[in-house]
Amino acid sequence: VCIKAFGAASRHSKEVNALIAKAKRNAELSEIEKLSKEKNLQVCCMLDLRYLPQVPKVCEIIKSGEIGEIKNVTFTGQHCLDYGNRPMWYFEEGKHGGTINDIAIHGVDLVRFITGKNLTKVNCAKTWNAFADKEPDFKDCGQFMAEFDGIALMADVSYAAPKFNDIMPTYWDFYFWGTKGLLKFNIANNEIHIYKNEEEIIECPNSKSEYLRDFISEINGVKTIMNTEDILKSQRQVLEIQNASE
């Protein structure tokens, strides 16, 4: 959602929900934040990884200290380029907003949600063109290393996945290394894998994404896990990483 669209919505006192990242620059995000406060409007983004079936149990395990203090996190969120099916504006200069901004917000938001930690340092970030040979100015690959209050995070959010009829193993694959063990989970199933002296597999019950329900609840004054303040924090932190790549 560009700032013009948000501004138009706010003038008519309309709440805003976005499928992908809302702002391309810090100034735009600051304006969105200002308008939402002035008009008392809620902002939502489709950060639906928070609703994966494993997430409540992962939060419980990490909070309990079962795998110790979290030191390192890695995730991959590789997508298919899907050239020819995505709208062509996607590849036009200045309209996409950046591969890290577009994709990494989902993974960074989930890491923040699970650990309670916020971005403190961007060590390095890079975006470049590798797969979109028809659009050489489109930087389809994105990788970065960053720190979240003592946790080292490394991620790949490139449009590098082949067009595949099933879920690629590199599509939202998360690893949390603690001082007592390793925890991993993937969007493709309901399993949590814990590695200490031996492997333990926990099967989690099915769940469904309720981000729109929670968005409506927030509009009605009921606090949920999908609130405007937290969404804007995730967006600002991912913009900082994206800016480091430019």
Side-chain angles (χ1 to χ4, degrees), residues 26 100-101 104 108 118-127 142-155 233-246:
N26 280 315
I100 291 174
N101 188 32
V108 166
N118 288 293
L119 178 70
T120 50
K121 183 180 180 181
V122 181
N123 299 106
C124 60
K126 181 182 179 181
T127 56
Q143 296 177 347
F144 61 91
M145 297 175 67
E147 296 176 24
F148 284 73
D149 194 19
I151 296 174
L153 171 65
M154 181 171 63
K233 278 185 180 178
S234 287
Q235 175 68 94
R236 192 171 294 282
Q237 290 174 33
V238 170
L239 273 177
E240 188 172 338
I241 300 169
Q242 174 72 43
N243 292 340
S245 75
E246 297 175 350

Side-chain angles (χ1 to χ4, degrees), residues 74-143:
T74 296
F75 70 79
T76 55
Q78 294 183 347
H79 284 53
C80 171
L81 186 63
D82 209 14
Y83 188 82
N85 290 317
R86 293 188 187 276
M88 291 311 295
W89 65 258
Y90 214 80
F91 305 98
E92 293 178 23
E93 189 173 357
K95 292 188 177 180
H96 175 246
T99 294
I100 291 174
N101 188 32
D102 179 13
I103 300 177
I105 186 170
H106 300 277
V108 166
D109 179 75
L110 184 57
V111 171
R112 288 187 60 246
F113 183 71
I114 289 172
T115 65
K117 305 291 187 180
N118 288 293
L119 178 70
T120 50
K121 183 180 180 181
V122 181
N123 299 106
C124 60
K126 181 182 179 181
T127 56
W128 71 101
N129 176 273
F131 296 92
D133 54 349
K134 295 182 178 64
E135 304 290 344
D137 293 327
F138 183 72
K139 295 179 179 180
D140 51 16
C141 287
Q143 296 177 347

